[in-house]
CSV table of all heavy atoms in Angstrom, one decimal:
chain,number,residue,atom,x,y,z
A,79,LEU,N,96.4,134.7,36.0
A,79,LEU,CA,96.0,135.9,35.5
A,79,LEU,C,94.6,135.9,35.0
A,79,LEU,O,94.0,134.8,34.8
A,79,LEU,CB,96.9,136.3,34.3
A,79,LEU,CG,98.4,136.5,34.5
A,79,LEU,CD1,99.2,136.8,33.3
A,79,LEU,CD2,98.6,137.6,35.6
A,80,PRO,N,93.9,137.1,35.0
A,80,PRO,CA,92.5,137.1,34.6
A,80,PRO,C,92.3,136.4,33.2
A,80,PRO,O,93.1,136.6,32.3
A,80,PRO,CB,92.2,138.6,34.6
A,80,PRO,CG,93.2,139.2,35.5
A,80,PRO,CD,94.4,138.4,35.3
A,81,GLN,N,91.2,135.7,33.1
A,81,GLN,CA,90.9,135.0,31.8
A,81,GLN,C,90.2,135.9,30.8
A,81,GLN,O,89.5,136.8,31.2
A,81,GLN,CB,90.1,133.7,32.0
A,81,GLN,CG,90.8,132.7,32.9
A,81,GLN,CD,90.1,131.4,32.9
A,81,GLN,OE1,88.9,131.3,32.6
A,81,GLN,NE2,90.8,130.3,33.3
A,82,ASP,N,90.5,135.7,29.5
A,82,ASP,CA,89.9,136.5,28.5
A,82,ASP,C,88.5,136.1,28.1
A,82,ASP,O,87.9,135.3,28.8
A,82,ASP,CB,90.8,136.6,27.3
A,82,ASP,CG,91.0,135.2,26.6
A,82,ASP,OD1,90.2,134.3,26.9
A,82,ASP,OD2,92.0,135.0,25.9
A,83,TRP,N,88.0,136.7,27.0
A,83,TRP,CA,86.6,136.4,26.6
A,83,TRP,C,86.4,134.9,26.3
A,83,TRP,O,85.3,134.4,26.5
A,83,TRP,CB,86.3,137.2,25.3
A,83,TRP,CG,86.3,138.7,25.4
A,83,TRP,CD1,87.0,139.5,24.7
A,83,TRP,CD2,85.5,139.5,26.2
A,83,TRP,NE1,86.7,140.8,25.0
A,83,TRP,CE2,85.8,140.8,26.0
A,83,TRP,CE3,84.5,139.2,27.2
A,83,TRP,CZ2,85.2,141.9,26.6
A,83,TRP,CZ3,83.9,140.3,27.9
A,83,TRP,CH2,84.3,141.6,27.6
A,84,GLY,N,87.5,134.2,25.9
A,84,GLY,CA,87.4,132.8,25.6
A,84,GLY,C,87.6,131.9,26.8
A,84,GLY,O,87.9,130.7,26.6
A,85,SER,N,87.6,132.5,28.0
A,85,SER,CA,87.8,131.8,29.2
A,85,SER,C,89.1,131.1,29.2
A,85,SER,O,89.3,129.9,29.6
A,85,SER,CB,86.7,130.7,29.5
A,85,SER,OG,85.4,131.4,29.6
A,86,SER,N,90.2,131.8,28.8
A,86,SER,CA,91.5,131.2,28.7
A,86,SER,C,92.5,132.4,29.0
A,86,SER,O,92.1,133.5,29.2
A,86,SER,CB,91.8,130.6,27.4
A,86,SER,OG,92.1,131.6,26.4
A,87,VAL,N,93.8,132.0,29.0
A,87,VAL,CA,94.8,133.1,29.2
A,87,VAL,C,95.5,133.3,27.8
A,87,VAL,O,96.7,133.8,27.8
A,87,VAL,CB,95.8,132.7,30.3
A,87,VAL,CG1,95.2,132.8,31.6
A,87,VAL,CG2,96.4,131.3,30.0
A,88,MET,N,94.8,132.9,26.7
A,88,MET,CA,95.5,133.0,25.4
A,88,MET,C,95.9,134.4,25.0
A,88,MET,O,96.9,134.6,24.3
A,88,MET,CB,94.4,132.5,24.4
A,88,MET,CG,95.1,132.1,23.0
A,88,MET,SD,96.2,130.7,23.2
A,88,MET,CE,97.6,131.3,22.2
A,89,THR,N,95.2,135.4,25.5
A,89,THR,CA,95.6,136.8,25.1
A,89,THR,C,97.0,137.1,25.5
A,89,THR,O,97.6,138.0,24.9
A,89,THR,CB,94.6,137.8,25.8
A,89,THR,OG1,94.9,139.1,25.4
A,89,THR,CG2,94.7,137.7,27.3
A,90,TYR,N,97.5,136.4,26.6
A,90,TYR,CA,98.9,136.8,27.0
A,90,TYR,C,100.0,136.1,26.2
A,90,TYR,O,101.2,136.4,26.4
A,90,TYR,CB,99.0,136.4,28.5
A,90,TYR,CG,97.9,136.9,29.4
A,90,TYR,CD1,97.0,136.1,30.0
A,90,TYR,CD2,97.8,138.3,29.6
A,90,TYR,CE1,96.0,136.6,30.8
A,90,TYR,CE2,96.8,138.8,30.4
A,90,TYR,CZ,95.9,138.0,31.0
A,90,TYR,OH,94.9,138.5,31.8
A,91,ALA,N,99.6,135.2,25.3
A,91,ALA,CA,100.7,134.5,24.6
A,91,ALA,C,101.6,135.4,23.8
A,91,ALA,O,102.8,135.1,23.7
A,91,ALA,CB,100.0,133.5,23.6
A,92,ARG,N,101.1,136.5,23.3
A,92,ARG,CA,102.0,137.4,22.6
A,92,ARG,C,103.1,138.0,23.4
A,92,ARG,O,104.1,138.5,22.9
A,92,ARG,CB,101.2,138.6,22.0
A,92,ARG,CG,100.4,139.4,22.9
A,92,ARG,CD,99.5,140.3,22.2
A,92,ARG,NE,98.4,140.9,23.1
A,92,ARG,CZ,97.4,141.6,22.6
A,92,ARG,NH1,97.3,141.9,21.3
A,92,ARG,NH2,96.5,142.1,23.4
A,93,LEU,N,103.0,138.0,24.8
A,93,LEU,CA,104.1,138.5,25.6
A,93,LEU,C,105.3,137.6,25.5
A,93,LEU,O,106.4,138.0,26.0
A,93,LEU,CB,103.6,138.6,27.1
A,93,LEU,CG,102.4,139.5,27.3
A,93,LEU,CD1,102.0,139.4,28.8
A,93,LEU,CD2,102.7,140.9,26.9
A,94,ALA,N,105.1,136.4,25.0
A,94,ALA,CA,106.3,135.5,24.8
A,94,ALA,C,107.0,135.7,23.5
A,94,ALA,O,108.1,135.1,23.3
A,94,ALA,CB,105.8,134.0,24.9
A,95,LEU,N,106.5,136.6,22.7
A,95,LEU,CA,107.1,136.8,21.3
A,95,LEU,C,108.6,137.2,21.4
A,95,LEU,O,109.4,136.6,20.6
A,95,LEU,CB,106.3,137.8,20.6
A,95,LEU,CG,105.1,137.3,19.9
A,95,LEU,CD1,104.3,138.5,19.3
A,95,LEU,CD2,105.4,136.3,18.8
A,96,PRO,N,109.0,138.1,22.3
A,96,PRO,CA,110.4,138.5,22.3
A,96,PRO,C,111.4,137.4,22.5
A,96,PRO,O,112.6,137.5,22.0
A,96,PRO,CB,110.5,139.6,23.4
A,96,PRO,CG,109.1,140.1,23.5
A,96,PRO,CD,108.2,138.9,23.2
A,97,GLU,N,111.0,136.4,23.2
A,97,GLU,CA,111.9,135.3,23.5
A,97,GLU,C,111.8,134.1,22.5
A,97,GLU,O,112.7,133.3,22.4
A,97,GLU,CB,111.7,134.7,24.9
A,97,GLU,CG,110.3,134.1,25.1
A,97,GLU,CD,109.9,134.0,26.6
A,97,GLU,OE1,110.0,135.0,27.3
A,97,GLU,OE2,109.5,132.9,27.0
A,98,LEU,N,110.8,134.2,21.7
A,98,LEU,CA,110.5,133.1,20.7
A,98,LEU,C,110.9,133.5,19.3
A,98,LEU,O,111.1,132.6,18.4
A,98,LEU,CB,109.1,132.6,20.8
A,98,LEU,CG,108.6,132.0,22.1
A,98,LEU,CD1,107.1,131.7,22.0
A,98,LEU,CD2,109.4,130.7,22.4
A,99,VAL,N,110.8,134.8,19.0
A,99,VAL,CA,111.0,135.2,17.6
A,99,VAL,C,112.2,136.2,17.5
A,99,VAL,O,112.3,137.2,18.2
A,99,VAL,CB,109.7,136.0,17.1
A,99,VAL,CG1,109.9,136.5,15.7
A,99,VAL,CG2,108.5,135.0,17.2
A,100,ASP,N,113.0,135.9,16.5
A,100,ASP,CA,114.2,136.8,16.3
A,100,ASP,C,114.0,137.6,15.0
A,100,ASP,O,114.5,137.2,14.0
A,100,ASP,CB,115.5,135.9,16.2
A,100,ASP,CG,116.7,136.7,16.1
A,100,ASP,OD1,116.7,137.9,16.4
A,100,ASP,OD2,117.8,136.2,15.6
A,101,GLU,N,113.2,138.6,15.1
A,101,GLU,CA,112.9,139.5,14.0
A,101,GLU,C,113.1,140.9,14.5
A,101,GLU,O,113.0,141.2,15.7
A,101,GLU,CB,111.5,139.3,13.5
A,101,GLU,CG,111.2,137.9,13.0
A,101,GLU,CD,111.8,137.6,11.6
A,101,GLU,OE1,112.5,138.4,11.1
A,101,GLU,OE2,111.6,136.5,11.1
Side-chain angles (χ1 to χ4, degrees):
L79 296 179
Q81 295 188 343
D82 61 20
W83 297 123
S85 298
S86 77
V87 291
M88 196 65 224
T89 184
Y90 307 112
R92 56 187 165 189
L93 299 177
L95 281 173
E97 63 200 50
L98 295 176
V99 177
D100 185 19
E101 300 285 1

